[in-house]
Amino acid sequence: MKRTLLASLFIPLLGSLLLSGCSDSSDRPSGSGGQPPVETEGPNPAPANSGLADSVAPIAHVNSAQTDSVAHPGPAGPTETLDEMSGGLSYQHLGPAHFGLAISPQYPDSSRVIWSNGGDRISKLDYETLEVIDELFLTDTPMSEAQADAEIELLDSKSGLELAQQSLDNAVKYLSAGISGVYYLLSADNVLYVGGSESFLAYADVDPLDQRSGIELRDEWVRPAGIGGNFVTANMTHDGWICTVTDEGWVVLLKPDFSEYHSIQMVGSEIAPEHNQKMLDEGRRPGSASWVRNGPAIDEQGGIYIPSLEHMHKVIWDGARLSTDPADGAWVAQYRNGSGIGTGATASLMGFGEEDRFVVSTDGDEVMNMVLFWREEIPQDWEQLEGAPDRRIAGQLRADIGDDGAEAVQTEQSVVVGGYGAFVVNNAPASFPSPMFERFPAVLAGFAGRDPDFTPLGIQKFEWDPQARELREAWVNREISSANSVPVISTGSNLVYTVGARDNQWTMEAIDWDTGDSAFHYVTGSNRYNTLFSGLFLDEEGRVLHTTIFGILRYERFPE
């Protein structure tokens, strides 16, 4: 059942993820840190949100805390080459610009589906087989599987400058400006909510009890005139309100049936319209340097954590109203912003239960810092850190991916958090085939990252020591590639899973969370399996899956 629906969804060319990569100037060893891992009894997981789908993948960054971390185990190896013919990989065509997926709760017959929102369609797949059950097209000319195969064949056949040029052609053809339409969530009643530029859209089954049902646009909530900016995020409070933020600093909570909303302006956002226009006038891509360009993390008490141009904000939701008043527990903390365009990272939460509690992000310095902010009250005896612009900052360390001589390192990805560990990757191309491509590092990392001339290398972990109350570097590995994907941590396996490249072949990499050493990898080869900035997930059985350049991929390997 396939129908066409025109909608205003805009998909991003995901910008310049890291402006400069790593050189060989550091003598820090790959795969090891200078200190042993912090000894803990095991991390408390981020609390489940009962308003989200009862599955292991209901939202873009796994949970409302935005940690990109799961407790259940994933595969443990060994290293091998996987393909579709032998059954090692399952693949399904979806079309361009699918940057994530959501696994549904169970239907009455115990079955599930996988939802994905993309550049030209909303897709619903059978969880077991990846068969497309239905698609709701957002354009009159959706990409066919034959078109996708032709584009993949072109990418697979080229290298060097020719591959770079083909990558730029693909970026222009299939990805447009802005970040609206990327973020999504799947609710407990199996409704897919997607943030458009000026509206929020709700997609659902025509028959909510039938796994084979077609898709319908159930409702659309259009931004009222008094709220400025474009919607760029999607999350949910623990009492079931959809949370979104505009690029001009308006926080909006929506009832899932769109019958009611609450809104509030973030502190200091009066300058946002002028700043955003200035960035456009300077030729920057929409969304690449907006006053707000990253999503909120949400705790179970109603704290909403949002990075803006120069500050981290905590907005309070008490179940009846939003507040930016410090008397209600809200706060604003400045972070370093030497680049002038702010952090590119989504806020992530660290610490749950009786653990020390932080909100984690990178900052806006030319060489970014990993920054931890005290989430609640600052300890009375806490002294402001040297070089930190705010006393609320609990930890601030240079995140240079092991390059002491780096002059510019920035990221557009969220910090991945597991326990007291925080993990960042290098997405900077190893080189540029011509000076022109220095303006488009994300094009090379995104479409051409398997080519050894361009393959980004380097990953880095930081760790909070609760006894010493100190953030430290845990390890750096400058040999493993995480070319463009958002990794996922399995605390059950003590592994980080990401997608990288080796010897001109795409790979799925598994990294020891304690040491940074490679645990194993799967070789997949073709650009068909390139993540193109999408996030990895572990499904209900512990298999790794993610969307790709034009489809969705599952690695048919289970935990031991």
Side-chain angles (χ1 to χ4, degrees), residues 282-307:
E282 291 179 357
R284 295 185 184 272
R285 175 184 56 83
S288 65
S290 302
W291 198 80
V292 172
R293 57 189 170 115
N294 300 286
I298 300 177
D299 68 26
E300 61 271 38
Q301 287 83 35
I304 302 170
Y305 304 87
I306 312 157

mmCIF file of all heavy atoms in Angstrom, residues 282-307:
data_model
loop_
_atom_site.group_PDB
_atom_site.id
_atom_site.type_symbol
_atom_site.label_atom_id
_atom_site.label_comp_id
_atom_site.label_asym_id
_atom_site.label_seq_id
_atom_site.Cartn_x
_atom_site.Cartn_y
_atom_site.Cartn_z
ATOM 1 N N GLU A 282 26.495 35.478 6.424
ATOM 2 C CA GLU A 282 27.916 35.143 6.268
ATOM 3 C C GLU A 282 28.124 33.912 5.387
ATOM 4 O O GLU A 282 29.260 33.495 5.154
ATOM 5 C CB GLU A 282 28.545 34.906 7.637
ATOM 6 C CG GLU A 282 28.670 36.171 8.487
ATOM 7 C CD GLU A 282 29.281 35.896 9.853
ATOM 8 O OE1 GLU A 282 29.553 34.702 10.146
ATOM 9 O OE2 GLU A 282 29.492 36.860 10.611
ATOM 10 N N GLY A 283 27.023 33.337 4.916
ATOM 11 C CA GLY A 283 27.113 32.199 4.021
ATOM 12 C C GLY A 283 27.116 30.850 4.697
ATOM 13 O O GLY A 283 27.370 29.825 4.044
ATOM 14 N N ARG A 284 26.800 30.813 5.983
ATOM 15 C CA ARG A 284 26.758 29.531 6.680
ATOM 16 C C ARG A 284 25.478 28.784 6.344
ATOM 17 O O ARG A 284 24.429 29.385 6.112
ATOM 18 C CB ARG A 284 26.865 29.730 8.198
ATOM 19 C CG ARG A 284 28.202 30.303 8.634
ATOM 20 C CD ARG A 284 28.296 30.365 10.143
ATOM 21 N NE ARG A 284 29.533 30.990 10.592
ATOM 22 C CZ ARG A 284 30.669 30.329 10.783
ATOM 23 N NH1 ARG A 284 30.723 29.033 10.566
ATOM 24 N NH2 ARG A 284 31.750 30.970 11.186
ATOM 25 N N ARG A 285 25.589 27.456 6.347
ATOM 26 C CA ARG A 285 24.434 26.608 6.082
ATOM 27 C C ARG A 285 23.397 26.769 7.184
ATOM 28 O O ARG A 285 23.752 26.801 8.363
ATOM 29 C CB ARG A 285 24.882 25.144 6.021
ATOM 30 C CG ARG A 285 23.770 24.127 5.863
ATOM 31 C CD ARG A 285 24.341 22.717 5.908
ATOM 32 N NE ARG A 285 25.098 22.479 7.127
ATOM 33 C CZ ARG A 285 24.556 22.125 8.279
ATOM 34 N NH1 ARG A 285 23.254 21.987 8.389
ATOM 35 N NH2 ARG A 285 25.323 21.919 9.327
ATOM 36 N N PRO A 286 22.086 26.872 6.853
ATOM 37 C CA PRO A 286 21.066 26.942 7.897
ATOM 38 C C PRO A 286 21.199 25.777 8.880
ATOM 39 O O PRO A 286 21.341 24.619 8.483
ATOM 40 C CB PRO A 286 19.756 26.854 7.101
ATOM 41 C CG PRO A 286 20.091 27.412 5.770
ATOM 42 C CD PRO A 286 21.511 26.977 5.504
ATOM 43 N N GLY A 287 21.178 26.103 10.150
ATOM 44 C CA GLY A 287 21.302 25.084 11.187
ATOM 45 C C GLY A 287 22.713 24.801 11.633
ATOM 46 O O GLY A 287 22.918 24.165 12.662
ATOM 47 N N SER A 288 23.722 25.271 10.887
ATOM 48 C CA SER A 288 25.102 24.940 11.231
ATOM 49 C C SER A 288 25.671 25.820 12.334
ATOM 50 O O SER A 288 26.675 25.471 12.951
ATOM 51 C CB SER A 288 25.999 25.046 9.994
ATOM 52 O OG SER A 288 26.070 26.388 9.538
ATOM 53 N N ALA A 289 25.047 26.983 12.574
ATOM 54 C CA ALA A 289 25.556 27.879 13.606
ATOM 55 C C ALA A 289 24.423 28.651 14.261
ATOM 56 O O ALA A 289 24.610 29.761 14.737
ATOM 57 C CB ALA A 289 26.573 28.842 13.005
ATOM 58 N N SER A 290 23.234 28.053 14.300
ATOM 59 C CA SER A 290 22.065 28.724 14.877
ATOM 60 C C SER A 290 22.232 28.889 16.384
ATOM 61 O O SER A 290 23.040 28.211 17.022
ATOM 62 C CB SER A 290 20.801 27.919 14.591
ATOM 63 O OG SER A 290 20.619 27.746 13.200
ATOM 64 N N TRP A 291 21.437 29.801 16.958
ATOM 65 C CA TRP A 291 21.507 30.044 18.387
ATOM 66 C C TRP A 291 21.213 28.764 19.162
ATOM 67 O O TRP A 291 21.857 28.473 20.177
ATOM 68 C CB TRP A 291 20.533 31.154 18.783
ATOM 69 C CG TRP A 291 20.828 31.755 20.126
ATOM 70 C CD1 TRP A 291 21.766 32.689 20.412
ATOM 71 C CD2 TRP A 291 20.175 31.448 21.370
ATOM 72 N NE1 TRP A 291 21.754 32.992 21.761
ATOM 73 C CE2 TRP A 291 20.776 32.240 22.379
ATOM 74 C CE3 TRP A 291 19.140 30.596 21.727
ATOM 75 C CZ2 TRP A 291 20.385 32.196 23.703
ATOM 76 C CZ3 TRP A 291 18.735 30.538 23.056
ATOM 77 C CH2 TRP A 291 19.359 31.342 24.040
ATOM 78 N N VAL A 292 20.255 27.965 18.711
ATOM 79 C CA VAL A 292 20.048 26.594 19.193
ATOM 80 C C VAL A 292 20.096 25.686 17.975
ATOM 81 O O VAL A 292 19.397 25.913 16.994
ATOM 82 C CB VAL A 292 18.706 26.416 19.917
ATOM 83 C CG1 VAL A 292 18.464 24.933 20.221
ATOM 84 C CG2 VAL A 292 18.679 27.214 21.215
ATOM 85 N N ARG A 293 20.936 24.671 18.020
ATOM 86 C CA ARG A 293 21.008 23.715 16.912
ATOM 87 C C ARG A 293 21.110 22.272 17.379
ATOM 88 O O ARG A 293 21.384 21.367 16.591
ATOM 89 C CB ARG A 293 22.188 24.050 15.999
ATOM 90 C CG ARG A 293 23.561 24.104 16.667
ATOM 91 C CD ARG A 293 24.585 24.659 15.679
ATOM 92 N NE ARG A 293 25.865 24.963 16.280
ATOM 93 C CZ ARG A 293 27.009 24.330 15.983
ATOM 94 N NH1 ARG A 293 26.995 23.343 15.114
ATOM 95 N NH2 ARG A 293 28.148 24.700 16.556
ATOM 96 N N ASN A 294 20.877 22.059 18.671
ATOM 97 C CA ASN A 294 20.999 20.715 19.238
ATOM 98 C C ASN A 294 19.822 20.417 20.161
ATOM 99 O O ASN A 294 19.233 21.318 20.748
ATOM 100 C CB ASN A 294 22.302 20.586 20.028
ATOM 101 C CG ASN A 294 23.517 20.820 19.170
ATOM 102 O OD1 ASN A 294 23.884 19.980 18.364
ATOM 103 N ND2 ASN A 294 24.135 21.987 19.308
ATOM 104 N N GLY A 295 19.538 19.138 20.282
ATOM 105 C CA GLY A 295 18.380 18.712 21.056
ATOM 106 C C GLY A 295 18.596 18.714 22.547
ATOM 107 O O GLY A 295 19.724 18.752 23.040
ATOM 108 N N PRO A 296 17.492 18.671 23.310
ATOM 109 C CA PRO A 296 17.574 18.633 24.772
ATOM 110 C C PRO A 296 17.708 17.212 25.302
ATOM 111 O O PRO A 296 17.225 16.258 24.697
ATOM 112 C CB PRO A 296 16.229 19.233 25.188
ATOM 113 C CG PRO A 296 15.286 18.767 24.113
ATOM 114 C CD PRO A 296 16.099 18.765 22.836
ATOM 115 N N ALA A 297 18.369 17.090 26.422
ATOM 116 C CA ALA A 297 18.300 15.884 27.237
ATOM 117 C C ALA A 297 17.312 16.165 28.366
ATOM 118 O O ALA A 297 17.199 17.298 28.841
ATOM 119 C CB ALA A 297 19.665 15.525 27.807
ATOM 120 N N ILE A 298 16.575 15.138 28.790
ATOM 121 C CA ILE A 298 15.509 15.336 29.777
ATOM 122 C C ILE A 298 15.665 14.319 30.896
ATOM 123 O O ILE A 298 15.828 13.121 30.640
ATOM 124 C CB ILE A 298 14.118 15.200 29.124
ATOM 125 C CG1 ILE A 298 13.966 16.248 28.012
ATOM 126 C CG2 ILE A 298 13.010 15.337 30.155
ATOM 127 C CD1 ILE A 298 12.660 16.157 27.255
ATOM 128 N N ASP A 299 15.634 14.801 32.147
ATOM 129 C CA ASP A 299 15.721 13.873 33.278
ATOM 130 C C ASP A 299 14.329 13.532 33.794
ATOM 131 O O ASP A 299 13.314 14.089 33.366
ATOM 132 C CB ASP A 299 16.642 14.410 34.372
ATOM 133 C CG ASP A 299 16.095 15.642 35.089
ATOM 134 O OD1 ASP A 299 14.860 15.830 35.145
ATOM 135 O OD2 ASP A 299 16.918 16.432 35.610
ATOM 136 N N GLU A 300 14.288 12.608 34.749
ATOM 137 C CA GLU A 300 12.989 12.109 35.226
ATOM 138 C C GLU A 300 12.277 13.081 36.146
ATOM 139 O O GLU A 300 11.084 12.906 36.430
ATOM 140 C CB GLU A 300 13.157 10.747 35.902
ATOM 141 C CG GLU A 300 14.052 10.723 37.132
ATOM 142 C CD GLU A 300 15.512 10.475 36.827
ATOM 143 O OE1 GLU A 300 16.027 10.993 35.805
ATOM 144 O OE2 GLU A 300 16.162 9.782 37.636
ATOM 145 N N GLN A 301 12.969 14.129 36.616
ATOM 146 C CA GLN A 301 12.344 15.132 37.480
ATOM 147 C C GLN A 301 11.804 16.331 36.705
ATOM 148 O O GLN A 301 11.301 17.274 37.302
ATOM 149 C CB GLN A 301 13.344 15.636 38.527
ATOM 150 C CG GLN A 301 13.641 14.641 39.639
ATOM 151 C CD GLN A 301 14.691 13.627 39.250
ATOM 152 O OE1 GLN A 301 15.624 13.939 38.522
ATOM 153 N NE2 GLN A 301 14.540 12.399 39.733
ATOM 154 N N GLY A 302 11.914 16.326 35.396
ATOM 155 C CA GLY A 302 11.420 17.448 34.597
ATOM 156 C C GLY A 302 12.471 18.456 34.212
ATOM 157 O O GLY A 302 12.137 19.525 33.687
ATOM 158 N N GLY A 303 13.735 18.171 34.455
ATOM 159 C CA GLY A 303 14.805 19.038 33.993
ATOM 160 C C GLY A 303 15.036 18.858 32.497
ATOM 161 O O GLY A 303 15.168 17.731 32.012
ATOM 162 N N ILE A 304 15.059 19.968 31.767
ATOM 163 C CA ILE A 304 15.270 19.959 30.320
ATOM 164 C C ILE A 304 16.577 20.708 30.061
ATOM 165 O O ILE A 304 16.691 21.895 30.395
ATOM 166 C CB ILE A 304 14.098 20.626 29.584
ATOM 167 C CG1 ILE A 304 12.780 19.919 29.928
ATOM 168 C CG2 ILE A 304 14.325 20.636 28.076
ATOM 169 C CD1 ILE A 304 11.546 20.663 29.429
ATOM 170 N N TYR A 305 17.564 20.050 29.462
ATOM 171 C CA TYR A 305 18.915 20.591 29.329
ATOM 172 C C TYR A 305 19.197 20.883 27.857
ATOM 173 O O TYR A 305 19.179 19.970 27.020
ATOM 174 C CB TYR A 305 19.937 19.602 29.892
ATOM 175 C CG TYR A 305 19.650 19.237 31.327
ATOM 176 C CD1 TYR A 305 18.778 18.198 31.647
ATOM 177 C CD2 TYR A 305 20.220 19.959 32.377
ATOM 178 C CE1 TYR A 305 18.496 17.877 32.968
ATOM 179 C CE2 TYR A 305 19.949 19.637 33.697
ATOM 180 C CZ TYR A 305 19.084 18.602 33.980
ATOM 181 O OH TYR A 305 18.798 18.280 35.291
ATOM 182 N N ILE A 306 19.475 22.158 27.556
ATOM 183 C CA ILE A 306 19.585 22.595 26.168
ATOM 184 C C ILE A 306 20.832 23.455 25.999
ATOM 185 O O ILE A 306 20.986 24.471 26.682
ATOM 186 C CB ILE A 306 18.356 23.430 25.750
ATOM 187 C CG1 ILE A 306 17.057 22.737 26.161
ATOM 188 C CG2 ILE A 306 18.375 23.717 24.252
ATOM 189 C CD1 ILE A 306 15.894 23.693 26.304
ATOM 190 N N PRO A 307 21.719 23.119 25.078
ATOM 191 C CA PRO A 307 22.837 24.009 24.778
ATOM 192 C C PRO A 307 22.415 25.107 23.801
ATOM 193 O O PRO A 307 21.743 24.833 22.806
ATOM 194 C CB PRO A 307 23.876 23.082 24.140
ATOM 195 C CG PRO A 307 23.085 21.944 23.578
ATOM 196 C CD PRO A 307 21.834 21.820 24.397
#
